[in-house]
Amino acid sequence: MTLAQRLSRYQTANTACKPVASGRLDRVVGLTLEAIGCRAPVGSVCKVETLTGELEAEVVGFAGETLFLMPSEQLSGVMPGAKVTPILHNSGIPVGPELLGRVIDGIGNPLDGLGPIFTEQRAAFTSTPINPLSRKPIKEPLDVGIKAINGLLTVGKGQRIGLFAGSGVGKSVTLGMMTRGTSAQIVVVGLIGERGREVKEFIDEILGKEGRERAVVIAAPADASPLMRLKGCQTSLTIAEYFRDQGFDVLLLMDSLTRFAQAQREIALSVGEPPATKGYPPSVFAKLPALVERAGNGNENQGSITAFFTVLSEGDDLQDPIADASRAILDGHIVLSREMADAGHYPAIDVERSVSRVMPAIVSDDHMLMSKAVRQILSICRKNQDLVAIGAYKSGTDATIDQAFSFKPKLDNYLQQEMKEAVPYEMCVNMLRSTLGG
C-alpha cells in the first residue's frame, strides 16, 4: 500500500454528512428502535429526535420497509412518531498523535476532561482487510517486561494472543505490567464492558502517569449500550491500525473479547437472529475473526500490531464457546490460573496450559530447549505432587522426580514478579538460564 493510499484511507472517512429524507419512529422493542418511511444502508447512522435533543442510532438490520436501529447511548425521552433522519456518511473517529495520553469513549469522544481532541485525520470504524501475502512474517520477539512471558511464552511482533482467565485472577494487573514494561512505541488499551470503578483504577493506578504518556485508552464500561461496546472494540483496532500504518510498533491490549461477543449477541438477538451455540447467534462467530485479523504485521513499509485479547472463562471453563472459538483464530493463548492466584502466585500464569505458537520461529534453539525443560519440570511436579504431599513417595526412588522437585522452588521464584517490576527481555533469558543452572 503506497503512502497516498494510506492517507486516502483516513481522509475518506471525513466526508461531509449528507442528510436524506426523514422517517418516523414506529415502535421500541427492548433496546431496538424500529423506524419506517426512510431508507438507509446497514451500518449507517440516523438521528432520532427525543425530548432531550437528538439521539444517534445505527442501522443494524431491516425487515421490509422497517429499519432496526440500535442507539449508541441509553434510551431517554424517545416518543412515538419521533422524526428519524438518516445520515449517509458518518464522520468516523479522530486519529492522530493528538490521541496519545487521552481517554476516549467508543466513538472517539473524550472522557478525561482535558478538552476536545482536534486531529487532522479521521478514520472509519472498519477497514479493508490486508492481503495475507503482503504481511511481514513474524521474525523478532517483543519485550513485554514479564519474566514468565518473555522467557517461556515469548511473543513476536505482530502476534495475536489470547489471555484466558476467570474473574479476579489478575487480568488487569497483568495488562498493566505489559504497558509499563513493553518495548513497543505505542500502546492502545481497550477497556470494554468493565466496571466503571475498574476503568479509573486501571488508568490511575495500574497504567500510571508514565505509561499513559504513550498510550491511548478507549473505555466503554458495562453500563454503555451494546453498540457503544461494539464500537469500542472497533475503535481500538482503528487507532492501532493508524499508528501501525505510520511505521510504529503497537501493543494492543483489549479487555475483553468476550464483552465484544456479548455485545454482538445482544444486538443480533434484538433484531431477530436465531441463537445457535449456547445462546450465541452465528454472526458472533463471523465477527470475531474479522476483528482479530485486523491486528498483526503490516507490509514492509509499515509497523506492527501485537495484540493481547483477554477472554473471560465463565466458571473457569476453557470450553466456553467464545474461549473455544478464540483459541482457533489466535496465535497462542496464555492461561491465568485461579489456583495459583489463590496461593498468592502473581502473575498467575499457568505455563503448562499456555502456548505461544510463534515462539519456535523467533527464539534461539538454546532458549527453546530451556523453555521445554521448564515445562517438563512443572509437569513432573504436578503429576507427583499428591504422592509427595501424603508421604507416599520417598526421596531417592526416582532421580528425575527428585531433580524436578529440587528445581521447583527456583522456578516458582522466577515465575513470580511484582506489579511495578519490569524485566527486559535479555535479562529474562539470562535469569532463566541461571535458574536452570546453565
Side-chain angles (χ1 to χ4, degrees), residues 322-334:
I322 300 304
D324 198 40
S326 300
R327 275 199 305 273
I329 58 177
L330 293 168
D331 304 322
H333 55 273
I334 296 173

Side-chain angles (χ1 to χ4, degrees), residues 69-298:
L69 310 175
M70 181 65 65
S72 59
E73 52 193 272
Q74 298 297 332
L75 282 175
S76 177
V78 178
M79 302 174 296
K83 183 179 179 182
V84 178
T85 306
I87 300 172
L88 293 185
H89 297 283
N90 192 10
S91 59
I93 59 170
V95 290
E98 296 84 359
L99 290 173
L100 295 176
R102 301 300 301 269
V103 182
I104 61 177
D105 67 9
I107 54 176
N109 298 320
L111 295 175
D112 49 17
L114 300 179
I117 301 174
F118 298 103
T119 63
E120 294 183 359
Q121 297 174 328
R122 302 183 78 87
F125 289 100
T126 58
S127 63
T128 304
I130 296 178
N131 186 331
L133 297 182
S134 66
R135 289 184 186 267
K136 292 182 296 185
I138 301 174
K139 289 186 175 180
E140 55 181 309
L142 178 75
D143 184 4
V144 295
I146 299 177
K147 291 184 289 183
I149 298 178
N150 282 347
L152 304 173
L153 302 164
T154 310
V155 174
K157 290 183 179 178
Q159 184 175 358
R160 287 78 56 95
I161 195 162
L163 192 63
F164 291 72
S167 57
V169 294
K171 288 191 315 299
S172 298
V173 174
T174 304
L175 295 180
M177 293 171 69
M178 293 184 197
T179 61
R180 287 190 297 269
T182 183
S183 60
Q185 299 150 308
I186 304 293
V187 179
V188 178
V189 183
L191 301 176
I192 312 300
E194 293 293 328
R195 294 182 291 273
R197 176 190 62 80
E198 286 189 341
V199 172
K200 182 164 179 61
E201 186 178 278
F202 183 91
I203 294 170
D204 293 343
E205 299 180 18
I206 299 178
L207 185 60
K209 183 178 180 181
E210 182 180 347
R212 191 171 166 180
E213 290 178 354
R214 56 171 175 165
V216 184
V217 179
I218 299 91
D223 61 346
S225 70
L227 181 65
M228 185 65 79
R229 281 178 270 142
L230 199 72
K231 291 294 186 186
C233 296
Q234 296 172 339
T235 296
S236 301
L237 265 301
T238 297
I239 293 173
E241 285 173 331
Y242 167 79
F243 286 109
R244 177 189 64 190
D245 290 353
Q246 311 309 310
F248 293 103
D249 289 324
V250 181
L251 177 64
L252 171 66
L253 307 174
M254 184 176 293
D255 187 14
S256 68
L257 197 61
T258 305
R259 304 300 188 201
F260 171 82
Q262 290 173 346
Q264 174 60 25
R265 176 176 64 180
E266 291 178 46
I267 294 173
L269 292 178
S270 67
V271 299
E273 186 178 352
T277 307
K278 290 190 177 180
Y280 287 97
S283 63
V284 171
F285 301 100
K287 282 186 173 290
L288 281 175
L291 183 78
V292 170
E293 283 297 323
R294 294 176 63 180
N297 282 334

Side-chain angles (χ1 to χ4, degrees), residues 392-406:
Y393 174 80
K394 293 183 179 180
S395 179
T397 304
D398 190 313
T400 303
I401 296 177
D402 292 341
Q403 187 179 35
F405 275 97
S406 70

Side-chain angles (χ1 to χ4, degrees), residues 364-397:
S364 65
D365 293 340
D366 179 50
H367 186 174
M368 199 66 209
L369 286 173
M370 290 191 292
S371 174
K372 289 180 179 178
V374 170
R375 287 177 178 274
Q376 291 170 354
I377 291 170
L378 294 176
S379 177
I380 292 171
C381 291
R382 178 181 55 79
K383 291 177 181 177
N384 296 277
Q385 185 174 3
D386 291 342
L387 292 176
V388 174
I390 64 176
Y393 174 80
K394 293 183 179 180
S395 179
T397 304

